[in-house]
Amino acid sequence: DAGVTQSPTHLIKTRGQQVTLRCSPKSGHDTVSWYQQALGQGPQFIFQYYEEEERQRGNFPDRFSGHQFPNYSSELNVNALLLGDSALYLCASSPAGAGRYGDTDTQYFGPGTRLTVL
Amino acid sequence: ELKVEQNPLFLSMQEGKNYTIYCNYSTTSDRLYWYRQDPGKSLESLFVLLSNGAVKQEGRLMASLDTKARLSTLHITAAVHDLSATYFCAVDPPGHKYIFGTGTRLKVLA
């Protein structure tokens, strides 16, 4: 059973460019969340997708957008990159209703994409 | 403001010793999560605590939750080098998604 996968592993971009990161959820999961983790800090919630719609959003600008496909995979797009966007981007998947039906409900995190903006 | 604070931020301890990491949060949350992160790696789920008074143990780690005090603890018993990592707690308050703590960087010395 494959866990959460993300691509690419590493990415280097320059300021002003655009980037797309990809995530495939764990088998049986239909909800995908994205997080940004700056060096030495805890993950910050960007947004969550369920049934191909953005269900919740954290405190991130509109430069951050996403998409979920019918197979539940997801993309994170960041436009007009800034130096401060350099971080580890984590994708996490969970089954619908996670956190409401028992202690097996938790998010499973992918290995992350390390984005460096020069 | 929704805040999750961990104490201490850095912890260096000798093998065989015991210690406790504290996680305080500022809002009501049904549940609390503990994660482990090794350098350059992703997050590994350790515990999910679902109710007041919940206690869970796995190996040398034991987590507890006091929802009235808005406090969770992660207790380390007889630490070993393999436990060296950064530990995060996170809450899941109504209407919000996971809010992570500041992290506690643990280093166990031989």
Side-chain angles (χ1 to χ4, degrees), chain A:
Chain A
D1 176 24
V4 180
T5 60
Q6 292 185 243
S7 63
T9 306
H10 296 87
L11 205 50
I12 299 175
K13 292 285 188 178
T14 57
R15 282 178 295 175
Q17 285 189 310
Q18 177 264 343
V19 68
T20 298
L21 311 181
R22 296 176 175 82
C23 171
S24 290
K26 181 178 169 63
S27 178
H29 288 185
D30 52 13
T31 301
V32 173
S33 301
W34 286 93
Y35 294 83
Q36 179 194 67
Q37 186 178 23
L39 198 61
Q41 298 184 20
Q44 301 288 316
F45 174 71
I46 303 175
F47 41 54
Q48 183 183 74
Y49 277 84
Y50 171 67
E51 291 189 339
E52 302 180 50
E53 291 191 358
E54 183 182 292
R55 187 159 72 169
Q56 282 191 320
R57 189 179 182 91
N59 189 25
F60 278 80
D62 292 343
R63 298 187 298 109
F64 290 77
S65 63
H67 188 77
Q68 186 178 34
F69 298 94
N71 67 352
Y72 309 124
S73 67
S74 176
E75 288 182 348
L76 164 65
N77 300 293
V78 187
N79 294 324
L81 285 167
L82 304 174
L83 295 179
D85 294 332
S86 295
L88 179 67
Y89 287 84
L90 295 165
C91 168
S93 74
S94 55
R100 299 292 180 265
Y101 300 110
D103 63 0
T104 57
D105 295 326
T106 188
Q107 294 185 109
Y108 291 84
F109 283 82
T113 294
R114 174 73 62 185
L115 172 65
T116 302
V117 182
L118 302 176

Side-chain angles (χ1 to χ4, degrees), chain A residues 35 37 40-43 45 48 56 88 90 99-100 102-103 105-107 109-112 114, chain B residues 30-31 33 35 37 40-43 45 48 50 56 88 92 95-98 100-102 105:
Chain A
Y35 294 83
Q37 186 178 23
Q41 298 184 20
F45 174 71
Q48 183 183 74
Q56 282 191 320
L88 179 67
L90 295 165
R100 299 292 180 265
D103 63 0
D105 295 326
T106 188
Q107 294 185 109
F109 283 82
R114 174 73 62 185
Chain B
D30 291 344
R31 58 195 55 78
Y33 308 84
Y35 288 88
Q37 187 176 37
K41 304 291 186 181
S42 190
L43 279 77
S45 176
V48 181
L50 292 178
K56 290 198 173 180
F88 290 98
D92 185 16
H96 297 270
K97 296 314 294 183
Y98 282 35
F100 280 82
T102 47
R105 190 177 300 175

